[in-house]
Amino acid sequence: MKVLGIETSCDETAVAVVEDGRTVLSNVISSSKAAFEVLAGVIPEEAARKQLECMLPVLEQALKGARCTPKDIDLIAVTRGPGLLGSLLVGTMTARALARSWGKPVIGIHHTLGHLSSTWLERTEAPIFPLLCLSASGGHTELWYRRSHTDSTLLGRTRDDAAGEAFDKGGSMLGLPYPGGPSIERCAKGGNPNAFSFPKPLKEDKGLDFSFSGLKTALKYTLRDLGEISESQQADLAASFQHAICMHLTDRLKQALRTVPDAKEIHIVGGVSANGYLRSLLEHLDVPMRAPKKLSYCTDNGAMIAAAGYFLHEEFGERAYAGFETSASLKAGDVLGLER
Ligand code: KG4
Ligand code: ZN
């Protein structure tokens, strides 16, 4: 079964063709991140305008790359939320128009379900349920216990900033290019992760929630006290800040393994799962860790949406095609395939 996946929840225009939820035939992403670099953030209206311009060329490229014509596509899957409303509408309107003119079914996908499905892409051996999945990006940080593709329970979430947001804000405070995650990781390579110590978030709390705003504030005050910083101090700060974020994520995963000891694997997904330092910390846990096979499957992409569409179709058949609304603020519990 060939699924066309469309993802436009933030600044990217991403279209992919995936066969049977795993085999990626094409995965095209056009991002306007560079245009927003000087602003260290995204202007929603500008992002949506760029997506309108890019959508058809990206779609054509994805079909061509997969050596497909519209006739070969069995199903269209599109991100219906959460995200920037204008951007989401570009994707869902395109999906609906294609579905109508090609005579194909269309499924609306929760963005998180897409990320959760990204560890299946290009895997030959199937991941084993039940598993624990940390989904950490610029918009959310969540810990899921997954019994199947369509049955998951949310164990914990951030109480304030998302992990990627902490990287982005930290990067901007350190004078590094946007987005902060990859810039901090690059800069941290030359630094000492123990040079500065940051407070441990939610230290007394034995639950599974996260908090990152305290780390951000601690970095702000450290920078204020240091005044002008040298290049080596910048690298030490980047390394120590990255260490603090990744240790918090790792501690919560260890705690979660004690809560659900039957979990067979730990998955990490979302933009922050691209972080090599985080991956190295998680390699020493008691159960195997799996991250998306390619870095381009960690950050937002169309392939993960196509995979999620395939798994929903497998479980629910035509019921999965029931109409959907596009929404900027979808709750996970309201959505087919997530909590139930
Ligand atoms: O999943 P994603 O592409 O978009 C959202 O759904 O938010 O994640 C983007 C986030 C950004 O905050 C970015 O700084 C972070 O993921 N990120 C990273 C890395 N690459 C991207 N964070 C840490 N290390 C990285 N290598
Ligand atoms: Zn995302």
Side-chain angles (χ1 to χ4, degrees), residues 95-312:
R96 286 184 203 279
L98 292 177
R100 186 92 188 224
S101 72
W102 294 354
K104 309 285 176 179
V106 58
I107 297 187
I109 304 287
H110 191 291
H111 184 74
T112 299
L113 189 64
H115 278 300
L116 297 185
S117 308
S118 63
T119 36
W120 268 257
L121 298 170
E122 287 188 35
R123 290 280 178 189
T124 42
E125 38 357 325
I128 311 166
F129 290 109
L131 56 87
L132 266 172
C133 185
L134 169 73
S135 178
S137 71
H140 62 267
T141 304
E142 293 167 350
L143 196 48
W144 290 89
Y145 176 66
R146 307 196 71 206
R147 293 173 205 86
S148 74
H149 283 294
T150 52
D151 184 4
S152 301
T153 300
L154 186 62
L155 300 178
R157 53 154 41 119
T158 184
R159 294 188 185 167
D160 39 57
D161 292 350
E165 196 179 351
F167 271 110
D168 293 338
K169 289 178 177 166
S172 138
M173 282 189 249
L174 289 167
L176 297 169
Y178 174 83
S183 318
I184 288 189
E185 181 170 12
R186 227 173 294 121
C187 180
K189 291 220 160 80
N192 171 6
N194 301 310
F196 293 89
S197 78
F198 287 99
K200 199 173 164 175
L202 303 176
K203 202 169 156 195
E204 305 303 330
D205 189 313
K206 294 278 171 277
L208 295 172
D209 279 349
F210 303 86
S211 167
F212 295 96
S213 63
L215 290 178
K216 178 187 68 187
T217 310
L219 177 63
K220 185 172 148 198
Y221 288 131
T222 309
L223 281 166
R224 184 199 61 187
D225 295 344
L226 287 171
E228 188 97 349
I229 54 167
S230 65
E231 236 174 71
S232 79
Q233 278 176 318
Q234 187 192 40
D236 283 346
L237 280 165
S240 304
F241 189 65
Q242 170 176 262
H243 176 76
I245 294 176
C246 295
M247 280 308 290
H248 183 37
L249 295 171
T250 306
D251 285 345
R252 283 323 203 211
L253 277 170
K254 284 185 184 160
Q255 172 76 11
L257 275 180
R258 287 191 283 273
T259 312
V260 285
D262 61 339
K264 306 265 189 320
E265 295 181 349
I266 282 193
H267 289 204
I268 53 169
V269 301
V272 177
S273 70
N275 190 276
Y277 188 77
L278 176 66
R279 290 183 181 203
S280 67
L281 291 177
L282 295 176
E283 261 155 24
H284 307 295
L285 297 186
D286 294 339
V287 296
M289 185 273 293
R290 284 187 184 213
K293 192 123 185 187
K294 287 187 182 159
L295 294 187
S296 55
Y297 303 152
C298 296
T299 44
D300 293 344
N301 65 86
M304 67 184 196
I305 301 301
Y310 172 80
F311 296 127
L312 280 189

Side-chain angles (χ1 to χ4, degrees), residues 298-333:
C298 296
T299 44
D300 293 344
N301 65 86
M304 67 184 196
I305 301 301
Y310 172 80
F311 296 127
L312 280 189
H313 165 84
E314 253 200 335
E315 169 80 18
F316 297 110
E318 291 192 5
R319 270 200 301 142
Y321 310 158
F324 63 87
E325 265 176 43
T326 307
S327 167
S329 56
L330 267 187
K331 287 204 187 62

Side-chain angles (χ1 to χ4, degrees), residues 57-70:
V58 168
L59 172 70
E60 267 172 25
Q61 219 182 314
L63 286 174
K64 209 167 150 200
R67 297 174 194 277
C68 282
T69 65

